[in-house]
Amino acid sequence: MQDSILLIEDEEALRMTLGDRLRKEGYTVACAADGDEGFEKAASLPFDLIVLDVMLPGRSGFTVCEDIRKAGLATPVLMLTARARTADKV
């Protein structure tokens, strides 16, 4: 069985590029374009990893991550950010 990844990214070009690259590496990839859609998919389907953008429309990546944990999901989350400050990255 292939590992499955949920990619939550609002920028379409980046979502397509990352999704294509992950699929070429053998992963099954589901995508969401905003925080609300991403949380709904994360809460209703099993994933091995969630790649989550920090700045999303609707619900921020931080809020999505918090809500995922509140829902009792222990799926690993990899946060993406374009923010340059070290404090934002940490």
Side-chain angles (χ1 to χ4, degrees), residues 9 14 51-55 62 78-90:
E9 168 60 57
L14 183 55
V51 179
L52 177 58
D53 186 17
V54 170
M55 297 181 288
F62 293 122
L78 176 64
M79 302 292 286
L80 295 178
T81 182
R83 295 181 180 182
R85 293 181 355 166
T86 301
D88 291 328
K89 292 177 184 178
V90 172

Side-chain angles (χ1 to χ4, degrees), residues 10-69:
D10 63 321
E11 188 178 323
E12 184 177 4
L14 183 55
R15 188 172 62 245
M16 290 176 56
T17 301
L18 286 173
D20 288 347
R21 181 62 188 179
L22 290 167
R23 286 182 192 94
K24 285 180 183 176
E25 292 296 325
Y27 298 100
T28 300
V29 180
C31 295
D34 62 48
D36 293 329
E37 179 187 10
F39 175 74
E40 288 177 24
K41 286 185 177 185
S44 62
L45 299 168
F47 293 98
D48 298 295
L49 175 68
I50 298 170
V51 179
L52 177 58
D53 186 17
V54 170
M55 297 181 288
L56 293 168
R59 200 186 302 203
S60 78
F62 293 122
T63 303
V64 172
C65 187
E66 183 179 341
D67 292 344
I68 287 169
R69 294 298 181 241

